[in-house]
Amino acid sequence: MSAGAHGRHERPAGQEPIPLARPVLGAREEQAVLEVLRSGHLSLGPRVAEFERRFAARVGAAQASAVSSGTAGLHLALRAVGVGEGAEVITTPFSFVASANVAIYERARPVFVDIDPLTLNLDAEQAAAAVGARTAAILPVHVFGYPADIERLEQTGVPIVEDACEALGGAYADGSAVGSRGHPAVFAFYANKQITTGEGGIVISGDRAVKERIDSERNQGRAPNMDWLDHDRLGFNYRLSDIACALGIAQLERLDGLLAARARVASLYREALGDIRELTLPCEDSGRARRGWFVYVVQLPAGVDRDRAVTELGAHGIAAKPYFPAIHLMSYYRQEFGYRRGQFPVCEDVSDRSIAIPFYPQMGEGEVARVTQALLSVLGRARGSQVSLAARSR
Ligand SMILES: *Cc1c(COP(=O)(O)O)cnc(C)c1O
């Protein structure tokens, strides 16, 4: 739908649409990529190990393996903790679909438990109660960068694989960096994440054996000292190129600035939206836990047509997206596993009312104000009043 089709919603001339996300890339990134191109060593070269070393140091992990995506990393991490055919993996239905799909790759079954209504992370008590004879792993997701209750999950004694794909820069309740507890933890570098390599991911852990296995399985099952004609286990091509790793190194160098900018935009939003009582904003940090800001997701009040709100925000030039759709209600999951509406009521309620709004480091007060006005307008009309964007902005 074009904004021009709705006279009332026409944007003032010169106002660009505001996207959901936008990477920060500059001369350092260009130079780093160019150096790799000129070296001719595009893959299996020196940038891979360098990126791994620097990333591990940054998050306080002993080991790191760069891989082709966050999904690939989660897949290899589940294999590394022993998830296989017939096993169960306890996880959250409120996530990006990849965190559940990876169990299915290994013919294991994702077992969902409901989420905490405040943090939106899997409810650790319910996860502990769901542990059974077939449970091979718990896969918590640090949703929207807020750390899951990892200490409680550790008490179950079940192997843990952390989906930290949204949580770079976050800290657990004890103040230590997400990823630093020794479990395999996976970060991702798609263009909307805190840092990007275009596509990419990394698995960190405290265990040398996990790294050795993942390094082999990402490269067709070849041991490091083995001739390329022989492979001693099944593997994949989940490698990350030197071009991507060079980009990642340049992004890591500016990580502090990127995280600070995201936190600044989040506080601008809290200031601007805090008074709108209809909206539920992301929970604030509790104790020493810290959110690694990734997206800004607000919950609309019950009764507002969420999908229509997204369309109307689009007409104002503001990108927005339902975020997340519940995984167990996706057609594949309903058909394959028999999941149905009503099983995870907190997740379903939150998921029905949540939208991601524009959030990226370069956002300024002007953009935040435009998003705020558009949201007010959408909420006003949803309540039946005819307040227009123009009237609100005066
Ligand atoms: C981004 C993300 C992933 C990984 O995505 P890729 O596109 O495979 O890198 C996994 N889980 C969550 C929760 C994510 O947000």
Side-chain angles (χ1 to χ4, degrees), residues 68-74 94-100 139 141-144 163-166 186-190 192-193 198-201 294 323-324:
S68 55
S69 69
T71 308
L74 289 168
F94 189 66
S95 174
F96 180 56
V97 68
S99 56
L139 194 158
V141 180
H142 305 302
V143 168
F144 307 151
D163 182 337
C165 290
E166 306 192 344
V186 182
F187 295 83
F189 309 125
Y190 183 69
N192 68 339
K193 310 281 176 174
E199 297 279 0
F294 166 58
Y323 208 80
F324 288 117

Side-chain angles (χ1 to χ4, degrees), residues 97-246:
V97 68
S99 56
N101 280 349
V102 289
I104 306 171
Y105 295 170
E106 289 299 317
R107 300 179 192 281
R109 181 183 172 89
V111 172
F112 295 120
V113 297
D114 211 344
I115 60 171
D116 179 280
L118 183 68
T119 67
L120 311 184
N121 282 316
L122 101 170
D123 182 311
E125 291 303 332
Q126 291 189 45
V131 173
R134 287 175 172 278
T135 306
I138 303 179
L139 194 158
V141 180
H142 305 302
V143 168
F144 307 151
Y146 197 81
D149 185 357
I150 212 79
E151 291 88 345
R152 176 67 186 95
L153 297 175
E154 284 169 353
Q155 289 167 9
T156 65
V158 174
I160 292 173
V161 168
E162 296 177 49
D163 182 337
C165 290
E166 306 192 344
L168 184 55
Y172 303 112
D174 69 357
S176 62
V178 164
S180 63
R181 293 185 79 86
H183 316 289
V186 182
F187 295 83
F189 309 125
Y190 183 69
N192 68 339
K193 310 281 176 174
Q194 286 92 337
I195 64 171
T196 185
T197 60
E199 297 279 0
I202 203 163
V203 187
I204 59 170
S205 80
D207 184 349
R208 180 82 212 159
V210 166
K211 175 168 171 62
E212 278 166 10
R213 178 163 177 179
I214 289 178
D215 285 359
S216 167
E217 290 188 352
R218 75 179 168 187
N219 190 24
Q220 310 287 10
R222 184 170 12 145
N225 55 356
M226 197 177 272
D227 189 273
W228 71 273
L229 292 173
D230 191 24
H231 297 250
D232 60 355
R233 54 156 58 103
L234 178 67
F236 307 84
N237 178 358
Y238 281 170
R239 296 186 304 263
L240 192 62
S241 75
D242 278 59
I243 305 171
C245 289

Side-chain angles (χ1 to χ4, degrees), residues 24-26 28-29 32 47-60 64 66 168-169 187-189 193-197 201-202 204 240 244-260:
V24 178
L25 301 166
R28 283 289 300 132
E29 282 79 3
R47 292 292 177 253
V48 181
E50 186 186 345
F51 181 45
E52 291 172 346
R53 217 169 35 241
R54 291 193 189 202
F55 191 92
R58 170 67 204 220
V59 295
L168 184 55
F187 295 83
F189 309 125
K193 310 281 176 174
Q194 286 92 337
I195 64 171
T196 185
T197 60
I202 203 163
I204 59 170
L240 192 62
C245 289
L247 193 47
I249 292 165
Q251 290 267 284
L252 264 185
E253 284 169 5
R254 58 159 97 228
L255 177 58
D256 287 331
L258 293 172
L259 293 174

Side-chain angles (χ1 to χ4, degrees), residues 271-328:
E271 235 170 83
L273 305 178
D275 294 340
I276 307 178
R277 65 180 194 295
E278 295 96 325
L279 293 180
T280 305
L281 305 186
C283 70
E284 295 205 61
D285 292 349
S286 151
R288 299 185 66 197
R290 199 166 66 242
R291 186 189 297 274
W293 279 102
F294 166 58
V295 283
Y296 205 88
V297 173
V298 299
Q299 295 167 42
L300 301 173
V304 168
D305 183 339
R306 190 266 312 270
D307 296 341
R308 194 174 126 187
V310 167
T311 305
E312 289 186 4
L313 287 169
H316 286 285
I318 309 297
K321 189 155 92 176
Y323 208 80
F324 288 117
I327 297 175
H328 67 288

